[in-house]
Amino acid sequence: MQLSRGQWITAAFSGAFALFGFWSFAITLAPVPEPLFHDAGVISSGEARRPRGEIAVIWIRVAPSGRQYAYPNILGNAEGVWNQIEPGRPIEVTYSNSRDPELWGLEVSGSSLITPQEAHRARRKNGLWGMAIGVACLGFLFYLFLVEGRRHAA
């Protein structure tokens, strides 16, 4: 089997994307982490990052703790959450990992915007996209080696 240099480069990238896709699916198989921590206070600031027009992530800073939390768009309803983020409003954040906090629940002014179970479902759904990417890239690799490799060998 002899592939051109461009095909080998394409194969390497496809393999890397397949591994990334399968890894992004595998990390979503874990249950909601334990223990979950809570941070309550008021919103001191909020920032929505929109690299391509729609919100990719919302950064929320909570006073008095001063901690900052990311609400990624994969959790869903980013626009609805952003509409609730106003400095001075009461907030309670449920998060994991005290060193690098990952948001699992959010309540603003007594209204629940996402629960840990909803966040887990959203992360699992996002992981399914990773699985789809992994399968597609792996399929392309099989095509490249089985079909194109034989074509060059003949």
Side-chain angles (χ1 to χ4, degrees):
M1 169 180 359
Q2 191 160 13
L3 296 176
S4 70
R5 176 182 284 175
Q7 288 172 324
W8 278 110
I9 291 171
T10 302
F13 278 113
S14 294
F17 279 124
L19 287 175
F20 172 75
F22 293 132
W23 171 80
S24 68
F25 172 72
I27 63 172
T28 66
L29 296 176
V32 175
E34 295 286 335
L36 290 176
F37 304 99
H38 299 278
D39 187 4
V42 296
I43 300 171
S44 63
S45 66
E47 177 188 355
R49 301 225 174 120
R50 302 173 185 262
R52 291 176 295 279
E54 93 179 29
I55 294 175
V57 66
I58 300 169
W59 289 97
I60 306 163
R61 187 170 301 275
V62 177
S65 71
R67 285 188 179 270
Q68 186 170 345
Y69 303 93
Y71 185 98
N73 67 351
I74 64 164
L75 296 180
N77 191 26
E79 288 290 339
V81 169
W82 177 241
N83 291 336
Q84 300 295 316
I85 304 301
E86 295 176 18
R89 292 185 82 179
I91 187 170
E92 183 174 342
V93 178
T94 304
Y95 64 97
S96 66
N97 192 354
S98 61
R99 289 186 183 197
D100 185 23
E102 183 176 26
L103 189 141
W104 282 90
L106 183 63
E107 189 176 297
V108 175
S109 297
S111 176
S112 177
L113 301 179
I114 193 163
T115 66
Q117 292 74 25
E118 292 167 338
H120 186 254
R121 277 194 300 275
R123 286 182 168 97
R124 291 289 302 268
K125 183 178 176 184
N126 190 57
L128 290 175
W129 281 108
M131 175 62 92
I133 289 170
V135 168
C137 289
L138 194 60
F140 181 72
L141 277 173
F142 280 126
Y143 166 80
L144 193 62
F145 284 111
L146 295 178
V147 176
E148 289 296 318
R150 287 183 182 165
R151 189 177 298 168
H152 287 288

